[in-house]
Amino acid sequence: MSAVPTTSPLQARRRLRGRLGDLSLHGLTLAAALACLVLVGAIAWKIVALAGPSFDRFGLGFVTARAWDPVKHVFGALPFIYGTAVSSLVALVIATPLAIAIGLYLSELAPRGVRGIVGSLVELLAAIPSVVLGLWGILVLGPFLAHHVEPWLHSTLGFIPLFGDPQQTGQGLFTAAVILTIMIVPIVASISRELFLGVPSDLEEGALALGATRWEMVRGVILPATRSGIAAAVILGLGRAVGEAIAVTQVIGGGTRIGWSLFPPADTLASKIASSYQGAGSGIETSSLLYLAAILLVLGLIANLIAQVIVRRFDPLRGTRE
Amino acid sequence: MTESFTIAPVIDVAQVTQDSRPSEREVVFDIHDLTVSYGRVTAISGVDLQIHRNVITAIIGPSGCGKSTFIRCLNRMNDLVPGARIEGQILYQGSDLYASGVDPVEIRRRIGMVFQKANPFPKSIYDNVAWGPRVLGMRKELDERVEKALRSAALWDEVKDRLKKNALSLSGGQQQRLCIARAIAVEPEVLLLDEPASALDPIATSAIEDLMHQLKREYTLVIVTHNMQQAARVADLTAFFSLEVDETRRSGVLVEYDATSKIFTNPSDKRTEDYVTGRFG
Ligand SMILES: Nc1ncnc2c1ncn2[C@@H]1O[C@H](COP(=O)(O)OP(=O)(O)O)[C@@H](O)[C@H]1O
Ligand SMILES: [Mg+2]
């Protein structure tokens, strides 16, 4: 057969196939996107519906009510909002500088060989299942914090009300915050490493060519150029901390106390739901737990939205089009 | 405009050829047998060259012959390249640039550099220029310093009303002049320019060439260019680098270094002649 007659139909068929591929790719991605939307909507709908009875009984006052008493059928979310806020914020305060330092080390300072090894170790930390981390928290971290770190903090910084009397058990808000820190650090560290690596090297050279030291270059060019990304990574970490249930439930001790000291036992929204749902004795208690879930869902969505807005709006490397 | 381009170099070259003896015109860089390799690739080998004060020295040659490598040795920017090895000696005002006690940060403060691709920081125009002085603790009269640098870079009139605007909103030519302003704001002694106009249109290019003639009074300038007309227009002295290829290896070498007019009208080396007459590269 000569080559000439076969080439043109073959081309046409290939184009057709390509067009079909295009179409099905389009369809598939659209379907996947829609499925996500529908799923989020369905979950939210169900949770809100189930929380209905509790909402009808307690209204928005639920959010600021302090009691949680299944016997008297009085429920309020404030202790758990407090526990969630404090454990996540403490975790963020410890994790953010640590994670940025690790990211900087891995992207700018570490020798090539070390980068790979330390980088994988950090990623490995993220791979520990949270229930395993929680067990370690019960067995090792909690007692260590209770017997060494908390007494030390109390005796040196005890004048700050955050560092009250140490706990004996190692179960408490502070232990939960440290466990959350361990979970957030790898996330924020690996995102910030990517961000730092993404800073164009000609910017770095520009700074160094002016006689800046490495640290001055990092502080003056790399961090400002990546700050919106870092902020988004931190908020992503916050989302993780707010939503984490298992490991927190294992180490936080449980309770409805609200107070200054970081050390006593408490509960977060997530740990309260995880620990109480199975044993919930009444319909109104179950419904109240779902009310907690709805609050958690809203917090998670808000964190995610904020992170996205930050990334879209304030990326300095994208110039001033905005 | 055109007149100043054609006349100025001729006068300068006359001066240069008269007193280019090292004893008469101060030597800023004295380079001996410089060889640079990246891993197992030799980029330049055996370069001997002297660079003089308040003179514009152009480095020309085909792409890949090691022009950037050479100029980046002069302020130790190659230290940042993993695997780069520098052999030979570079004396800067008499002292060894690569001696063990020498701080590369201090070197780069005194020997500024402008890169091929304009690389303004994603900050305001003002902060771009003020960044270096701030970092180096020259905080006194910062506004005046910024204005002076922008004026020297022939950019002041175009940006004085929008100093707070992001530098990335400037045009390419303005960005490159901003980078020059940024470099001279820290008052370096030498300014190294690596193909500063290669991405610019002719108008922006001629603005930068004008600027170089201005800057020559205060600074020692070394400019890499692959544009021979540009070298002919701005430089007093020109060094021609070429790629030397034998069976096993290829590396850049310095072929000829002389007054610009000599290089372009009456070169002593056949390879230079081929290059400047366009028979090569
Ligand atoms: N960072 C680097 N790593 C490895 N090789 C390099 C590096 N920079 C330059 N080279 C090599 O060195 C040689 C000279 O490059 P360069 O100095 O950039 O030449 P020019 O500026 O004249 O075009 C080229 O062969 C190039 O591939
Ligand atoms: Mg080059």
Side-chain angles (χ1 to χ4, degrees):
Chain A
M1 277 266 133
S2 75
V4 182
T6 50
T7 39
S8 50
L10 200 68
Q11 249 176 6
R13 208 178 307 153
R14 207 149 107 209
R15 262 219 208 114
L16 185 65
R17 265 226 304 260
R19 225 175 311 148
L20 278 179
D22 250 17
L23 269 176
S24 50
L25 183 71
H26 232 91
L28 263 174
T29 46
L30 190 68
L34 280 178
C36 288
L37 199 68
V38 168
L39 197 63
V40 171
I43 292 173
W45 173 251
K46 190 72 192 165
I47 285 175
V48 169
L50 290 173
S54 175
F55 186 83
D56 291 340
R57 168 99 61 103
F58 305 111
L60 279 176
F62 182 80
V63 175
T64 52
R66 292 184 65 151
W68 184 276
D69 192 337
V71 180
K72 294 187 190 141
H73 295 303
V74 215
F75 300 100
L78 196 63
F80 315 115
I81 293 176
Y82 156 84
T84 303
V86 172
S87 61
S88 316
L89 287 181
V90 171
L92 274 194
V93 166
I94 311 176
T96 305
L98 208 62
I100 291 177
I102 293 174
L104 276 176
Y105 178 73
L106 290 176
S107 60
E108 305 292 326
L109 303 174
R112 252 141 229 277
V114 176
R115 281 181 197 197
I117 299 168
V118 178
S120 336
L121 285 178
V122 172
E123 311 261 305
L124 213 63
L125 207 56
I128 300 177
S130 55
V131 69
V132 176
L133 199 59
L135 278 179
W136 177 76
I138 297 173
L139 298 171
V140 183
L141 182 70
F144 175 76
L145 292 177
H147 299 140
H148 298 98
V149 178
E150 293 180 8
W152 179 79
L153 281 173
H154 181 64
S155 64
T156 50
L157 297 170
F159 58 90
I160 306 172
L162 295 179
F163 307 111
D165 285 323
Q167 292 299 296
Q168 290 311 305
T169 57
Q171 296 265 313
L173 204 48
F174 186 60
T175 313
V178 175
I179 286 283
L180 287 175
T181 304
I182 296 173
M183 301 176 98
I184 302 175
V185 161
I187 303 175
V188 181
S190 58
I191 297 179
S192 27
R193 178 186 58 179
E194 296 307 314
L195 288 167
F196 299 147
L197 286 175
V199 174
S201 61
D202 52 350
L203 282 189
E204 302 181 16
E205 288 197 330
L208 295 173
L210 289 171
T213 60
R214 263 183 187 275
W215 165 240
E216 286 158 351
M217 183 263 291
V218 164
R219 208 190 48 185
V221 176
I222 295 192
L223 289 180
T226 52
R227 61 172 174 243
S228 67
I230 292 174
V234 167
I235 290 174
L236 222 64
L238 179 68
R240 177 76 205 267
V242 166
E244 173 57 33
I246 296 299
V248 173
T249 312
Q250 284 167 293
V251 298
I252 200 165
T256 55
R257 187 200 71 101
I258 297 179
W260 278 107
S261 176
L262 299 176
F263 301 144
D267 254 320
T268 66
L269 291 165
S271 75
K272 185 65 190 168
I273 299 166
S275 62
S276 302
Y277 190 81
Q278 295 294 336
S282 63
I284 191 68
E285 186 180 356
T286 307
S287 180
S288 297
L289 286 169
L290 279 150
Y291 199 164
L292 295 184
I295 295 172
L296 191 55
L297 187 67
V298 169
L299 290 181
L301 288 179
I302 290 176
N304 208 301
L305 276 178
I306 293 177
Q308 291 193 19
V309 168
I310 291 177
V311 172
R312 299 253 164 85
R313 275 289 181 88
F314 304 103
D315 188 349
L317 286 179
R318 282 203 216 149
T320 50
R321 257 141 281 156
E322 183 46 49
Chain B
M1 276 283 234
T2 354
E3 268 173 3
S4 74
F5 282 153
T6 48
I7 293 168
V10 173
I11 294 169
D12 288 336
V13 166
Q15 269 178 3
V16 164
T17 38
Q18 273 166 22
D19 50 28
S20 66
R21 299 272 80 87
S23 54
E24 293 170 35
R25 198 175 253 285
E26 196 182 333
V27 174
V28 180
F29 287 102
D30 196 353
I31 298 143
H32 293 291
D33 198 18
L34 179 69
T35 296
V36 184
S37 36
Y38 300 103
R40 285 165 51 222
V41 180
T42 306
I44 51 175
S45 62
V47 173
D48 286 286
L49 192 70
Q50 290 187 329
I51 288 168
H52 303 272
R53 179 176 297 285
N54 297 78
V55 162
I56 302 181
T57 305
I59 314 287
I60 61 168
S63 167
C65 68
K67 305 182 294 296
S68 299
T69 299
F70 171 76
I71 202 174
R72 287 167 61 93
C73 287
L74 301 183
N75 68 342
R76 294 194 58 171
M77 284 306 280
N78 275 337
D79 291 19
L80 307 167
V81 178
R85 205 173 64 250
I86 291 120
E87 290 157 295
Q89 192 184 41
I90 301 179
L91 297 178
Y92 175 65
Q93 301 189 338
S95 50
D96 187 352
L97 213 54
Y98 285 85
S100 58
V102 173
D103 179 9
V105 170
E106 177 62 16
I107 299 284
R108 293 183 204 125
R109 200 200 78 61
R110 292 169 60 174
I111 305 172
M113 184 159 211
V114 175
F115 298 84
Q116 178 165 3
K117 186 165 160 270
N119 57 352
F121 302 134
K123 300 176 188 290
S124 73
I125 293 168
Y126 182 94
D127 285 340
N128 259 275
V129 183
W131 192 80
R134 276 192 191 122
V135 161
L136 300 172
M138 312 176 193
R139 283 158 197 276
K140 265 209 196 141
E141 291 165 358
L142 197 54
D143 290 352
E144 288 77 5
R145 181 181 286 274
V146 169
E147 177 174 343
K148 182 162 170 266
L150 285 168
R151 280 190 192 281
S152 310
L155 191 60
W156 175 252
D157 290 330
E158 289 158 64
V159 301
K160 61 172 185 262
D161 302 321
R162 45 174 177 152
L163 292 173
K164 295 285 164 232
K165 284 264 165 59
N166 194 307
L168 300 176
S169 66
L170 296 173
S171 74
Q174 290 173 324
Q175 287 191 11
Q176 191 60 294
R177 275 179 285 154
L178 180 65
C179 291
I180 295 176
R182 185 177 73 183
I184 56 190
V186 299
E187 295 176 7
E189 298 156 1
V190 179
L191 202 54
L192 309 173
L193 303 108
D194 189 352
E195 307 202 23
S198 67
L200 304 184
D201 60 72
I203 293 173
T205 302
S206 102
I208 290 201
E209 289 175 2
D210 277 347
L211 176 58
M212 293 189 61
H213 284 295
Q214 303 286 319
L215 295 176
K216 189 175 116 172
R217 298 198 198 111
E218 287 180 66
Y219 302 93
T220 301
L221 295 161
V222 183
I223 177 173
V224 168
T225 175
H226 63 216
N227 176 336
M228 281 179 284
Q229 286 76 29
Q230 182 168 63
R233 283 191 301 259
V234 301
D236 305 306
L237 292 168
T238 297
F240 170 62
F241 280 61
S242 167
L243 205 53
E244 202 66 346
V245 186
D246 58 39
E247 313 85 54
T248 50
R249 42 201 257 122
R250 35 185 278 165
S251 73
V253 293
L254 173 63
V255 173
E256 189 169 353
Y257 178 41
D258 214 323
T260 301
S261 60
K262 175 119 185 350
I263 293 279
F264 283 98
T265 55
N266 185 22
S268 11
D269 196 290
K270 180 79 169 57
R271 290 167 291 178
T272 316
E273 192 181 338
D274 286 350
Y275 184 75
V276 299
T277 54
R279 254 170 278 162
F280 177 83

